Amino acid sequence: MRLRTLLARFRLMGTPGAAVVAVPADRTGDPAAELAPVLSRLTGVQEQASEIRARARGEADAIVRRAARQAAGIVADAEGRASRVRAEAVAAALTEARREETALLAAGRSAAAQVRRRADERIPGLADRVAEEALGRLDGEGSDAWAPGGSPA
């Protein structure tokens, strides 16, 4: 069908201006016959589009497989590094704990030595006081210095 014949099928409806609407004047024509040449040209394009989609699916599948292998490698590497990092963290924590233990033991020994020194300084004086109290009680002096339960007043 010629272009002039196709265009002749449409006529203007309404006044000319910005919005022009055209409708087919001849409704008896066969739209399938009219569209057959155009649609026949699309067959090759549809086949080409199908091939492109099939190639794209194949490429996408290959990319997904490659990414999965890469992800598995990354996970394996991370797991290996994680065990090394854990071991390093444990070693650092043990070193810190040993250092802290050494400091606490030194502080404890120092405190114990101070207590012993103070005890060594005070025991003779306390022993003399106890002896005086005991001797005083035997002599009858200071009987009111002790409470009835036997504890110092």
Side-chain angles (χ1 to χ4, degrees):
M1 176 182 300
R2 296 180 53 182
L3 180 61
R4 177 168 283 206
T5 309
L6 177 66
L7 293 177
R9 292 184 61 211
F10 297 93
R11 63 183 156 92
L12 291 176
M13 298 296 292
T15 59
V20 176
V21 178
V23 295
D26 178 19
R27 294 180 192 268
T28 60
D30 184 17
E34 208 174 281
L35 295 174
V38 175
L39 295 177
S40 67
R41 290 182 186 166
L42 291 178
T43 305
V45 173
Q46 287 176 337
E47 290 172 1
Q48 189 178 20
S50 294
E51 290 172 8
I52 290 171
R53 281 192 298 272
R55 262 196 318 260
R57 272 190 220 104
E59 289 174 12
D61 290 344
I63 289 170
V64 167
R65 284 191 302 272
R66 209 173 23 245
R69 282 193 304 271
Q70 187 179 14
I74 289 170
V75 167
D77 183 48
E79 287 173 349
R81 284 192 307 190
S83 63
R84 284 193 303 273
V85 168
R86 275 189 217 103
E88 290 170 4
V90 166
L94 283 174
T95 301
E96 178 63 21
R98 287 185 183 127
R99 187 189 61 74
E100 206 172 300
E101 173 191 26
T102 303
L104 285 172
L105 284 172
R109 286 185 184 120
S110 174
Q114 270 185 336
V115 168
R116 277 191 221 100
R117 261 194 315 276
R118 286 178 60 202
D120 288 345
E121 291 171 0
R122 295 178 77 186
I123 285 179
L126 290 173
D128 289 343
R129 247 177 91 188
V130 168
E132 287 174 8
E133 289 287 331
L135 290 175
R137 188 168 175 123
L138 291 175
D139 294 339
E141 296 174 7
S143 58
D144 57 349
W146 293 86
S151 53

